[in-house]
Amino acid sequence: MTTNTTPQTQTPTDTAKTAPAPAALLYAIVGGSLLTIVSAFLAWTWTADFPGDLTFYGSPADLQYVTLAGAALTLVHALAALGVKGFSWLTPAGSRKPIWFLALGNMAATWFTVISITVVLGGVVNLEPGAYVALVGSLVPALAAYKLPDDSRKVTPAKSKLPNWAEILIITGVFALGLFVITFGIDTDDKEPQLFVAYLITVGLAALALNKSGLLARFSVLTANNRQVTLLGTAAAAIAFPFIQQSGDTYTLIAVNILIFATVALGLNIVVGLAGLLDLGYVAFLGVGAYAAALVSGSTASAFGIHLPFWAAVIVGAIVSLVFGVVIGAPTLRLRGDYLAIVTLGFGEIFRIAMGNLDGTSGPDVTNGPNGIPNIPHLEIFGWNFGESHIVAGIELGAYANYYFLMLLVMALVVVVFARAGNSRIGRAWVAIREDETAAEAMGINGFKVKLIAFALGATLAGLAGTVQAHVNTTVVPENYVFAGPVPPNSAFLLAAVILGGMGTIRGPILGAALLFLIPAKLAFLQDYQLLAFGIALILLMRFRPEGLIANKRAQLEFHDDTADQAPQDLATAKAGA
């Protein structure tokens, strides 16, 4: 009697067996990281002339704290790779890539600091022993991590088995840590550009390492299981920012401008990210809202001489921007691609030139020409004057903190509008138009109508942000609304914020706007080379991550799914495909 046996089909697993990392390399990484940590408590230079004062023993300066943090992160990931109990959860997707990126970031930040000391002070003679220890300590882990074998494995995020209180505690801790890291970056002194560059290198590569380790995927599972707690934590972290500022309103103003920039970028994301319309003059709608609010908010230079309450000024700015969006969009949205981009670019320039000519000489006296509309009074809502400091919970909040909280409300409104619109029937129509307008119209979608709605909604949101911007700056001038310039927001930077962050997402443009505003603000000494660096960054982004820093699943599949061209693995699949 014979028994017929059929071959068993092997199913692929999520994890792959990989060779363990050589212990000697991991011990070298641990030793180098410990040496780098020790160097942070030593003096790196003998003179206080270098920004940050790195002359103390036992008391690290901010630059040394950046090196200390990078070395500590590298150390704990190396311990996880060694199998030390209590650290294995750090690297669910493998340890080689996280260790490599962390060690590389720590070495780059440390070496940049030491080289800056020699350049600023004039030679290596100005270095103390701590600097040499830091150089060696940061170099060893980077070299050892480069030689580690790849142990990457695909891990499907499973549902968290932690109790609810533990998940909430982890989310709270992560938000508190995130608030500290963001505040540290914003609060860096403009006179210490070396500190911000080192911070940027460390945080950027650390974020990449956490993504490669699988920790971000695990955290996304926790936030998905606790959406309400996540929203409350986000709101609490945002609200807490002005309360932890100890240097007045200087950095709160930066945060306000970031929120304005991010709000306008979200509006542009509707036009570019969802509907796929290339708009190169979008900043003009921000200007329309700002000028409309300035003319009706009681400015002494206003040609109308009226003073509406803020809620009325907001409505006026939004409606005027909506009207301009429809008027400009109606005759131009029948164009596609580069032709539409050229027309919108022309509209942006026409708006700026027109605002400069309405001075009573070249045209009617409406906008005061190149001098703009100054002396826009501060807002006053329910007796709360936004131009004055206030005591809240025993803490004095400056004037810009009032506008910060107002912009948080505006941002929340724009996020809700974007999310609702993107998930609605009209939002799906936008995506269909973006992917293939001809096919979408063949399926019954009115392409012109759908695109006009996107254009009008995006213009309205930009005008809404412009009304607040006019009161924050207390003046409106045409030079604020150019296509490209050293100070964002302008059309080029707005478009770059959407592309850099990730088109079609909510978090992407917010992150892109924050980076593109904060980096030029902190690195003012590179202003002459800003556009060069900007172009290089976009080229690198398009090469290595064309979907943006925070991309949706559709974009990731479009750019990184390499299985579409593979042949079927079995005969049944081949016949079905045939």
Side-chain angles (χ1 to χ4, degrees), residues 267-322:
L268 179 61
N269 198 23
I270 294 178
V271 180
V272 177
L274 295 182
L277 306 174
L278 184 55
D279 189 347
L280 298 182
Y282 187 76
V283 74
F285 296 119
L286 175 69
V288 169
Y291 266 100
L295 290 171
V296 300
S297 295
S299 170
T300 56
S302 173
F304 298 157
I306 59 177
H307 189 179
L308 298 180
F310 176 65
W311 62 267
V314 168
I315 294 176
V316 169
I319 291 178
V320 173
S321 297
L322 170 63

Side-chain angles (χ1 to χ4, degrees), residues 348-560:
E349 291 302 299
I350 289 172
F351 168 79
R352 179 180 61 83
I353 295 172
M355 293 301 101
N357 288 335
L358 296 178
D359 56 356
T361 301
S362 302
D365 187 10
V366 179
T367 64
N368 203 25
N371 296 324
I373 303 177
N375 303 324
I376 301 174
H378 286 287
L379 298 177
E380 187 168 346
I381 302 177
F382 301 115
W384 185 281
N385 192 321
F386 278 52
E388 299 176 355
S389 300
H390 298 277
I391 303 295
V392 178
I395 300 175
E396 183 178 0
L397 298 179
Y400 290 120
N402 304 318
Y403 289 104
Y404 174 84
F405 292 127
L406 177 61
M407 277 308 305
L408 283 181
L409 294 176
V410 174
M411 170 70 76
L413 174 63
V414 173
V415 168
V416 170
V417 171
F418 183 91
R420 295 292 185 181
N423 294 326
S424 66
R425 181 180 179 183
I426 191 68
R428 293 191 293 272
W430 287 336
V431 174
I433 290 291
R434 182 191 68 195
E435 297 300 322
D436 192 328
E437 184 173 350
T438 303
E441 290 179 346
M443 295 300 294
I445 296 176
N446 188 332
F448 173 75
K449 179 181 177 181
V450 167
K451 291 190 291 184
L452 187 60
I453 292 174
F455 216 70
L457 181 57
T460 303
L461 297 180
L464 180 64
T467 59
V468 181
Q469 185 196 42
H471 289 87
V472 172
N473 296 337
T474 67
T475 185
V476 179
V477 292
E479 286 72 18
N480 289 340
Y481 310 104
V482 297
F483 169 72
V487 179
N490 51 65
S491 292
F493 272 65
L494 285 169
L495 185 61
V498 175
I499 297 174
L500 171 66
M503 293 190 296
T505 65
I506 293 177
R507 294 175 297 169
I510 295 176
L511 175 61
L515 292 175
L516 290 180
F517 187 92
L518 190 60
I519 293 175
K522 293 296 182 180
L523 303 180
F525 69 98
L526 292 177
Q527 185 171 351
D528 294 338
Y529 305 96
Q530 188 179 110
L531 292 180
L532 174 62
F534 179 63
I536 293 174
L538 285 181
I539 292 173
L540 294 176
L541 179 71
M542 292 298 102
R543 170 60 183 86
F544 295 104
R545 195 169 177 84
E547 71 274 21
L549 297 178
I550 301 177
N552 56 25
K553 293 181 180 179
R554 182 192 299 271
Q556 288 178 330
L557 290 175
E558 287 178 354
F559 288 107
H560 298 289

Side-chain angles (χ1 to χ4, degrees), residues 249-273:
D249 263 5
T250 302
Y251 303 119
T252 306
L253 176 59
I254 294 178
V256 172
N257 286 319
I258 289 175
L259 289 177
I260 293 174
F261 192 6
T263 302
V264 182
L266 272 177
L268 179 61
N269 198 23
I270 294 178
V271 180
V272 177

Side-chain angles (χ1 to χ4, degrees), residues 92-107:
S95 58
R96 192 267 175 183
K97 288 184 178 179
I99 294 175
W100 162 241
F101 286 121
L102 288 170
L104 181 64
N106 189 41
M107 185 196 73

